[in-house]
Amino acid sequence: MEDQEKNNTQQKIPLAERNTVLRYSDMLRASKNIIFHGAPGTGKTYLANQIAAYIVSQGRTKVWRELTKQEKEQTGFVQFHPSYDYTDFVEGLRPTKGKEDGSIGFERKDGIFMEFVKRAQKEDKDSRETGENVREYGARETLEHFLEKWKESGQELSRYTNTPERNRKFTISIFKEKYAAHVPDNKISDIVFTEKDMKNMAQLLESGKEFPQPKDIKNVLPNFKGNHQLLSYYWAICKAIREENPNRTPETSQEKEYVFIIDEINRGEISKIFGELFFAIDPDYRGSKCEIQTQYSNLHSDPNEKFYIPENVYIIGTMNDIDKSVDSFDFAMRRRFRFIELPADENHEMLATLDDKATEARSRMKALNDRIRAEEGLNAYYQIGPAYFLKLEGLKFDFKRLWEDHLEPLLRMYIQGIYCEEKKDVLNEFKNAYDMRRANNKKSD
């Protein structure tokens, strides 16, 4: 029981690390249900979609549009709102029109979540196109897991060489969104691993074959035509992964996984929407061993048919902490989700698409959020997330228009009704911070 309560404790995890998606994918697999919460615009939905793409593709991509048609069917999305109910989400009666006389009748229909779960129930563990694809994707995920781990820790790996006096140590770094092998005190450029290199190393891992020396790798990759120096890095990386005897093996992810995203999860009346699925989504009651009868089971073709949520279904919810509807999220449902806070000022990687304006956007965002957090009556939940600054692309990178059209109206709503007349200049103070003016010049606006 203590472990379960610990598992459901709200967590604040920095997003500055580049392995965000991998980290939270592991958390989702362990907990089954997670909720990202925090200030508006922190990229909660964006991150949820990245995680869904990463999981259903077995680590091949983090971009939803790059998924295959089959992989896209392994993801689901819905946005809750006050009028959303059980009949929309689970099942309910829907009007039908008679083919002959045009009369109106009613028929039981699956809701969006039940329809999604039934696809997962039908999933055959061996239904991938080929067993080779199962192994390749699993090995690729294992490879990325260790590259990210080594990049974070700075762990040195030993490269094979016939010249002992030469530096044989290297670390893993990032170079333009790709992995690279960095050799300390070496004047030559880092060895950047291309997509082809990643596939080669994944193939080596899933082959199960031994290669005592780098030259032996050609027996596993007979068509290799790259720089032969790469083989010593392939050898070192694969050897290190095998030596750590990881639990993450290529075979761990052979079963297809399904991810369902519930955006704005707190805006709906949760207990009524989920109904008896309140029991079924519990991580401890997944699978056919814990089947339940739904409210409309008597209208099924088989009245004795029961429903369950498989182990391979994961749920990601998102919610803004400042929404008034947060308080309606009952404690029984909270116990079934793992809450993870996404701080507003740490998810900066979203701003990379702004190119040369990214640095200025980060500086303005930090200055404004520092001022908001310091204001009496407000807190970190009222900060501005990076998603707001992505609107700059549509505004031709006009920071003044971003303030006038998006930030000022939002901040005005924050302070409306909180402050008395003598505090009416607080909005000007926010503007000065956004413009990165010195505090003693705040009256000059």
PDB file of all heavy atoms in Angstrom, residues 66-90:
ATOM      1  N   GLU A  66       4.685  10.616 -38.624  1.00  0.00           N
ATOM      2  CA  GLU A  66       5.593   9.639 -39.225  1.00  0.00           C
ATOM      3  C   GLU A  66       5.172   8.197 -38.919  1.00  0.00           C
ATOM      4  O   GLU A  66       5.819   7.257 -39.379  1.00  0.00           O
ATOM      5  CB  GLU A  66       7.025   9.869 -38.721  1.00  0.00           C
ATOM      6  CG  GLU A  66       7.625  11.192 -39.194  1.00  0.00           C
ATOM      7  CD  GLU A  66       9.030  11.401 -38.669  1.00  0.00           C
ATOM      8  OE1 GLU A  66       9.532  10.516 -37.924  1.00  0.00           O
ATOM      9  OE2 GLU A  66       9.637  12.439 -38.985  1.00  0.00           O
ATOM     10  N   LEU A  67       4.084   8.028 -38.176  1.00  0.00           N
ATOM     11  CA  LEU A  67       3.610   6.684 -37.866  1.00  0.00           C
ATOM     12  C   LEU A  67       2.951   6.045 -39.084  1.00  0.00           C
ATOM     13  O   LEU A  67       2.420   6.735 -39.959  1.00  0.00           O
ATOM     14  CB  LEU A  67       2.586   6.734 -36.724  1.00  0.00           C
ATOM     15  CG  LEU A  67       3.067   7.263 -35.371  1.00  0.00           C
ATOM     16  CD1 LEU A  67       1.909   7.303 -34.385  1.00  0.00           C
ATOM     17  CD2 LEU A  67       4.209   6.420 -34.825  1.00  0.00           C
ATOM     18  N   THR A  68       2.985   4.734 -39.139  1.00  0.00           N
ATOM     19  CA  THR A  68       2.274   4.020 -40.185  1.00  0.00           C
ATOM     20  C   THR A  68       0.773   4.067 -39.890  1.00  0.00           C
ATOM     21  O   THR A  68       0.344   4.443 -38.795  1.00  0.00           O
ATOM     22  CB  THR A  68       2.726   2.554 -40.254  1.00  0.00           C
ATOM     23  OG1 THR A  68       2.337   1.899 -39.026  1.00  0.00           O
ATOM     24  CG2 THR A  68       4.246   2.450 -40.421  1.00  0.00           C
ATOM     25  N   LYS A  69      -0.037   3.648 -40.867  1.00  0.00           N
ATOM     26  CA  LYS A  69      -1.480   3.639 -40.672  1.00  0.00           C
ATOM     27  C   LYS A  69      -1.857   2.743 -39.504  1.00  0.00           C
ATOM     28  O   LYS A  69      -2.706   3.099 -38.672  1.00  0.00           O
ATOM     29  CB  LYS A  69      -2.182   3.160 -41.948  1.00  0.00           C
ATOM     30  CG  LYS A  69      -3.694   3.146 -41.847  1.00  0.00           C
ATOM     31  CD  LYS A  69      -4.329   2.657 -43.138  1.00  0.00           C
ATOM     32  CE  LYS A  69      -5.851   2.611 -43.005  1.00  0.00           C
ATOM     33  NZ  LYS A  69      -6.502   2.130 -44.253  1.00  0.00           N
ATOM     34  N   GLN A  70      -1.227   1.580 -39.413  1.00  0.00           N
ATOM     35  CA  GLN A  70      -1.499   0.648 -38.323  1.00  0.00           C
ATOM     36  C   GLN A  70      -1.115   1.254 -36.977  1.00  0.00           C
ATOM     37  O   GLN A  70      -1.841   1.136 -35.990  1.00  0.00           O
ATOM     38  CB  GLN A  70      -0.743  -0.663 -38.543  1.00  0.00           C
ATOM     39  CG  GLN A  70      -0.784  -1.640 -37.368  1.00  0.00           C
ATOM     40  CD  GLN A  70      -2.198  -2.051 -37.007  1.00  0.00           C
ATOM     41  OE1 GLN A  70      -2.984  -2.410 -37.871  1.00  0.00           O
ATOM     42  NE2 GLN A  70      -2.537  -1.975 -35.726  1.00  0.00           N
ATOM     43  N   GLU A  71       0.037   1.922 -36.919  1.00  0.00           N
ATOM     44  CA  GLU A  71       0.489   2.514 -35.659  1.00  0.00           C
ATOM     45  C   GLU A  71      -0.434   3.642 -35.207  1.00  0.00           C
ATOM     46  O   GLU A  71      -0.679   3.816 -34.012  1.00  0.00           O
ATOM     47  CB  GLU A  71       1.924   3.015 -35.818  1.00  0.00           C
ATOM     48  CG  GLU A  71       2.944   1.890 -35.907  1.00  0.00           C
ATOM     49  CD  GLU A  71       4.311   2.354 -36.367  1.00  0.00           C
ATOM     50  OE1 GLU A  71       4.419   3.486 -36.897  1.00  0.00           O
ATOM     51  OE2 GLU A  71       5.279   1.581 -36.216  1.00  0.00           O
ATOM     52  N   LYS A  72      -0.951   4.407 -36.164  1.00  0.00           N
ATOM     53  CA  LYS A  72      -1.879   5.479 -35.802  1.00  0.00           C
ATOM     54  C   LYS A  72      -3.154   4.916 -35.181  1.00  0.00           C
ATOM     55  O   LYS A  72      -3.764   5.558 -34.319  1.00  0.00           O
ATOM     56  CB  LYS A  72      -2.212   6.322 -37.028  1.00  0.00           C
ATOM     57  CG  LYS A  72      -1.062   7.221 -37.481  1.00  0.00           C
ATOM     58  CD  LYS A  72      -1.425   8.027 -38.713  1.00  0.00           C
ATOM     59  CE  LYS A  72      -0.253   8.923 -39.122  1.00  0.00           C
ATOM     60  NZ  LYS A  72      -0.566   9.698 -40.361  1.00  0.00           N
ATOM     61  N   GLU A  73      -3.552   3.721 -35.612  1.00  0.00           N
ATOM     62  CA  GLU A  73      -4.738   3.085 -35.028  1.00  0.00           C
ATOM     63  C   GLU A  73      -4.479   2.599 -33.605  1.00  0.00           C
ATOM     64  O   GLU A  73      -5.416   2.245 -32.897  1.00  0.00           O
ATOM     65  CB  GLU A  73      -5.180   1.915 -35.910  1.00  0.00           C
ATOM     66  CG  GLU A  73      -5.757   2.359 -37.257  1.00  0.00           C
ATOM     67  CD  GLU A  73      -6.172   1.196 -38.123  1.00  0.00           C
ATOM     68  OE1 GLU A  73      -5.894   0.041 -37.732  1.00  0.00           O
ATOM     69  OE2 GLU A  73      -6.763   1.435 -39.185  1.00  0.00           O
ATOM     70  N   GLN A  74      -3.218   2.585 -33.213  1.00  0.00           N
ATOM     71  CA  GLN A  74      -2.866   2.202 -31.847  1.00  0.00           C
ATOM     72  C   GLN A  74      -2.876   3.401 -30.907  1.00  0.00           C
ATOM     73  O   GLN A  74      -2.533   3.276 -29.732  1.00  0.00           O
ATOM     74  CB  GLN A  74      -1.480   1.535 -31.823  1.00  0.00           C
ATOM     75  CG  GLN A  74      -1.423   0.201 -32.536  1.00  0.00           C
ATOM     76  CD  GLN A  74       0.009  -0.281 -32.730  1.00  0.00           C
ATOM     77  OE1 GLN A  74       0.430  -0.628 -33.827  1.00  0.00           O
ATOM     78  NE2 GLN A  74       0.774  -0.305 -31.644  1.00  0.00           N
ATOM     79  N   THR A  75      -3.230   4.571 -31.423  1.00  0.00           N
ATOM     80  CA  THR A  75      -3.345   5.763 -30.593  1.00  0.00           C
ATOM     81  C   THR A  75      -4.787   6.268 -30.629  1.00  0.00           C
ATOM     82  O   THR A  75      -5.517   6.036 -31.596  1.00  0.00           O
ATOM     83  CB  THR A  75      -2.410   6.884 -31.080  1.00  0.00           C
ATOM     84  OG1 THR A  75      -2.834   7.342 -32.370  1.00  0.00           O
ATOM     85  CG2 THR A  75      -0.976   6.395 -31.164  1.00  0.00           C
ATOM     86  N   GLY A  76      -5.205   6.922 -29.569  1.00  0.00           N
ATOM     87  CA  GLY A  76      -6.535   7.514 -29.503  1.00  0.00           C
ATOM     88  C   GLY A  76      -6.459   8.864 -28.824  1.00  0.00           C
ATOM     89  O   GLY A  76      -5.543   9.130 -28.031  1.00  0.00           O
ATOM     90  N   PHE A  77      -7.415   9.734 -29.126  1.00  0.00           N
ATOM     91  CA  PHE A  77      -7.382  11.093 -28.561  1.00  0.00           C
ATOM     92  C   PHE A  77      -8.804  11.589 -28.349  1.00  0.00           C
ATOM     93  O   PHE A  77      -9.688  11.389 -29.192  1.00  0.00           O
ATOM     94  CB  PHE A  77      -6.647  12.050 -29.503  1.00  0.00           C
ATOM     95  CG  PHE A  77      -6.536  13.463 -28.976  1.00  0.00           C
ATOM     96  CD1 PHE A  77      -5.441  13.849 -28.223  1.00  0.00           C
ATOM     97  CD2 PHE A  77      -7.531  14.395 -29.235  1.00  0.00           C
ATOM     98  CE1 PHE A  77      -5.341  15.139 -27.731  1.00  0.00           C
ATOM     99  CE2 PHE A  77      -7.447  15.692 -28.749  1.00  0.00           C
ATOM    100  CZ  PHE A  77      -6.346  16.064 -27.994  1.00  0.00           C
ATOM    101  N   VAL A  78      -9.023  12.241 -27.222  1.00  0.00           N
ATOM    102  CA  VAL A  78     -10.304  12.898 -26.956  1.00  0.00           C
ATOM    103  C   VAL A  78     -10.035  14.079 -26.032  1.00  0.00           C
ATOM    104  O   VAL A  78      -9.071  14.070 -25.257  1.00  0.00           O
ATOM    105  CB  VAL A  78     -11.315  11.921 -26.304  1.00  0.00           C
ATOM    106  CG1 VAL A  78     -10.921  11.565 -24.886  1.00  0.00           C
ATOM    107  CG2 VAL A  78     -12.716  12.509 -26.329  1.00  0.00           C
ATOM    108  N   GLN A  79     -10.873  15.108 -26.147  1.00  0.00           N
ATOM    109  CA  GLN A  79     -10.771  16.252 -25.242  1.00  0.00           C
ATOM    110  C   GLN A  79     -12.067  16.338 -24.445  1.00  0.00           C
ATOM    111  O   GLN A  79     -13.158  16.456 -25.014  1.00  0.00           O
ATOM    112  CB  GLN A  79     -10.549  17.541 -26.026  1.00  0.00           C
ATOM    113  CG  GLN A  79     -10.255  18.741 -25.135  1.00  0.00           C
ATOM    114  CD  GLN A  79      -9.944  19.979 -25.945  1.00  0.00           C
ATOM    115  OE1 GLN A  79     -10.840  20.591 -26.521  1.00  0.00           O
ATOM    116  NE2 GLN A  79      -8.670  20.354 -25.993  1.00  0.00           N
ATOM    117  N   PHE A  80     -11.951  16.259 -23.134  1.00  0.00           N
ATOM    118  CA  PHE A  80     -13.134  16.327 -22.280  1.00  0.00           C
ATOM    119  C   PHE A  80     -13.667  17.758 -22.207  1.00  0.00           C
ATOM    120  O   PHE A  80     -12.912  18.726 -22.342  1.00  0.00           O
ATOM    121  CB  PHE A  80     -12.801  15.850 -20.864  1.00  0.00           C
ATOM    122  CG  PHE A  80     -12.762  14.355 -20.716  1.00  0.00           C
ATOM    123  CD1 PHE A  80     -13.003  13.508 -21.794  1.00  0.00           C
ATOM    124  CD2 PHE A  80     -12.480  13.763 -19.489  1.00  0.00           C
ATOM    125  CE1 PHE A  80     -12.965  12.125 -21.658  1.00  0.00           C
ATOM    126  CE2 PHE A  80     -12.444  12.388 -19.332  1.00  0.00           C
ATOM    127  CZ  PHE A  80     -12.685  11.572 -20.422  1.00  0.00           C
ATOM    128  N   HIS A  81     -14.976  17.879 -21.980  1.00  0.00           N
ATOM    129  CA  HIS A  81     -15.628  19.173 -21.773  1.00  0.00           C
ATOM    130  C   HIS A  81     -16.841  18.942 -20.879  1.00  0.00           C
ATOM    131  O   HIS A  81     -17.252  17.788 -20.655  1.00  0.00           O
ATOM    132  CB  HIS A  81     -16.015  19.812 -23.115  1.00  0.00           C
ATOM    133  CG  HIS A  81     -16.793  18.921 -24.019  1.00  0.00           C
ATOM    134  ND1 HIS A  81     -18.147  18.679 -23.864  1.00  0.00           N
ATOM    135  CD2 HIS A  81     -16.414  18.183 -25.098  1.00  0.00           C
ATOM    136  CE1 HIS A  81     -18.567  17.858 -24.810  1.00  0.00           C
ATOM    137  NE2 HIS A  81     -17.538  17.531 -25.569  1.00  0.00           N
ATOM    138  N   PRO A  82     -17.450  19.985 -20.346  1.00  0.00           N
ATOM    139  CA  PRO A  82     -18.522  19.811 -19.346  1.00  0.00           C
ATOM    140  C   PRO A  82     -19.711  18.963 -19.796  1.00  0.00           C
ATOM    141  O   PRO A  82     -20.348  18.316 -18.967  1.00  0.00           O
ATOM    142  CB  PRO A  82     -18.958  21.253 -19.060  1.00  0.00           C
ATOM    143  CG  PRO A  82     -17.719  22.062 -19.307  1.00  0.00           C
ATOM    144  CD  PRO A  82     -17.042  21.390 -20.460  1.00  0.00           C
ATOM    145  N   SER A  83     -20.027  18.934 -21.085  1.00  0.00           N
ATOM    146  CA  SER A  83     -21.188  18.163 -21.536  1.00  0.00           C
ATOM    147  C   SER A  83     -20.833  16.743 -21.982  1.00  0.00           C
ATOM    148  O   SER A  83     -21.701  15.989 -22.418  1.00  0.00           O
ATOM    149  CB  SER A  83     -21.897  18.897 -22.687  1.00  0.00           C
ATOM    150  OG  SER A  83     -21.029  19.036 -23.797  1.00  0.00           O
ATOM    151  N   TYR A  84     -19.570  16.374 -21.860  1.00  0.00           N
ATOM    152  CA  TYR A  84     -19.129  15.028 -22.260  1.00  0.00           C
ATOM    153  C   TYR A  84     -19.583  14.027 -21.208  1.00  0.00           C
ATOM    154  O   TYR A  84     -19.512  14.293 -20.009  1.00  0.00           O
ATOM    155  CB  TYR A  84     -17.605  15.016 -22.390  1.00  0.00           C
ATOM    156  CG  TYR A  84     -17.066  13.939 -23.294  1.00  0.00           C
ATOM    157  CD1 TYR A  84     -17.105  14.078 -24.676  1.00  0.00           C
ATOM    158  CD2 TYR A  84     -16.517  12.776 -22.767  1.00  0.00           C
ATOM    159  CE1 TYR A  84     -16.602  13.096 -25.516  1.00  0.00           C
ATOM    160  CE2 TYR A  84     -16.013  11.792 -23.589  1.00  0.00           C
ATOM    161  CZ  TYR A  84     -16.062  11.953 -24.963  1.00  0.00           C
ATOM    162  OH  TYR A  84     -15.566  10.968 -25.784  1.00  0.00           O
ATOM    163  N   ASP A  85     -20.062  12.847 -21.639  1.00  0.00           N
ATOM    164  CA  ASP A  85     -20.573  11.889 -20.649  1.00  0.00           C
ATOM    165  C   ASP A  85     -20.222  10.444 -21.005  1.00  0.00           C
ATOM    166  O   ASP A  85     -19.510  10.166 -21.971  1.00  0.00           O
ATOM    167  CB  ASP A  85     -22.081  12.048 -20.464  1.00  0.00           C
ATOM    168  CG  ASP A  85     -22.880  11.725 -21.729  1.00  0.00           C
ATOM    169  OD1 ASP A  85     -22.304  11.128 -22.672  1.00  0.00           O
ATOM    170  OD2 ASP A  85     -24.069  12.082 -21.789  1.00  0.00           O
ATOM    171  N   TYR A  86     -20.764   9.525 -20.205  1.00  0.00           N
ATOM    172  CA  TYR A  86     -20.497   8.087 -20.329  1.00  0.00           C
ATOM    173  C   TYR A  86     -20.863   7.565 -21.719  1.00  0.00           C
ATOM    174  O   TYR A  86     -20.144   6.733 -22.282  1.00  0.00           O
ATOM    175  CB  TYR A  86     -21.310   7.363 -19.250  1.00  0.00           C
ATOM    176  CG  TYR A  86     -21.182   5.860 -19.239  1.00  0.00           C
ATOM    177  CD1 TYR A  86     -20.212   5.230 -18.465  1.00  0.00           C
ATOM    178  CD2 TYR A  86     -22.057   5.063 -19.979  1.00  0.00           C
ATOM    179  CE1 TYR A  86     -20.109   3.845 -18.432  1.00  0.00           C
ATOM    180  CE2 TYR A  86     -21.952   3.671 -19.954  1.00  0.00           C
ATOM    181  CZ  TYR A  86     -20.979   3.072 -19.184  1.00  0.00           C
ATOM    182  OH  TYR A  86     -20.877   1.704 -19.153  1.00  0.00           O
ATOM    183  N   THR A  87     -21.967   8.042 -22.278  1.00  0.00           N
ATOM    184  CA  THR A  87     -22.412   7.533 -23.579  1.00  0.00           C
ATOM    185  C   THR A  87     -21.460   7.924 -24.698  1.00  0.00           C
ATOM    186  O   THR A  87     -21.381   7.237 -25.715  1.00  0.00           O
ATOM    187  CB  THR A  87     -23.827   8.042 -23.904  1.00  0.00           C
ATOM    188  OG1 THR A  87     -23.823   9.472 -23.989  1.00  0.00           O
ATOM    189  CG2 THR A  87     -24.816   7.606 -22.838  1.00  0.00           C
ATOM    190  N   ASP A  88     -20.735   9.025 -24.528  1.00  0.00           N
ATOM    191  CA  ASP A  88     -19.742   9.427 -25.527  1.00  0.00           C
ATOM    192  C   ASP A  88     -18.458   8.616 -25.372  1.00  0.00           C
ATOM    193  O   ASP A  88     -17.810   8.256 -26.353  1.00  0.00           O
ATOM    194  CB  ASP A  88     -19.399  10.917 -25.382  1.00  0.00           C
ATOM    195  CG  ASP A  88     -20.590  11.816 -25.576  1.00  0.00           C
ATOM    196  OD1 ASP A  88     -21.279  11.665 -26.595  1.00  0.00           O
ATOM    197  OD2 ASP A  88     -20.838  12.668 -24.699  1.00  0.00           O
ATOM    198  N   PHE A  89     -18.110   8.326 -24.123  1.00  0.00           N
ATOM    199  CA  PHE A  89     -16.814   7.735 -23.831  1.00  0.00           C
ATOM    200  C   PHE A  89     -16.842   6.209 -23.828  1.00  0.00           C
ATOM    201  O   PHE A  89     -15.967   5.558 -24.406  1.00  0.00           O
ATOM    202  CB  PHE A  89     -16.335   8.246 -22.475  1.00  0.00           C
ATOM    203  CG  PHE A  89     -14.898   7.946 -22.176  1.00  0.00           C
ATOM    204  CD1 PHE A  89     -13.876   8.501 -22.926  1.00  0.00           C
ATOM    205  CD2 PHE A  89     -14.554   7.120 -21.111  1.00  0.00           C
ATOM    206  CE1 PHE A  89     -12.548   8.242 -22.635  1.00  0.00           C
ATOM    207  CE2 PHE A  89     -13.238   6.850 -20.810  1.00  0.00           C
ATOM    208  CZ  PHE A  89     -12.229   7.410 -21.583  1.00  0.00           C
ATOM    209  N   VAL A  90     -17.839   5.623 -23.177  1.00  0.00           N
ATOM    210  CA  VAL A  90     -17.890   4.166 -23.028  1.00  0.00           C
ATOM    211  C   VAL A  90     -18.893   3.555 -24.005  1.00  0.00           C
ATOM    212  O   VAL A  90     -18.511   2.893 -24.966  1.00  0.00           O
ATOM    213  CB  VAL A  90     -18.225   3.765 -21.577  1.00  0.00           C
ATOM    214  CG1 VAL A  90     -18.163   2.241 -21.427  1.00  0.00           C
ATOM    215  CG2 VAL A  90     -17.253   4.419 -20.600  1.00  0.00           C
TER     216      VAL A  90
END
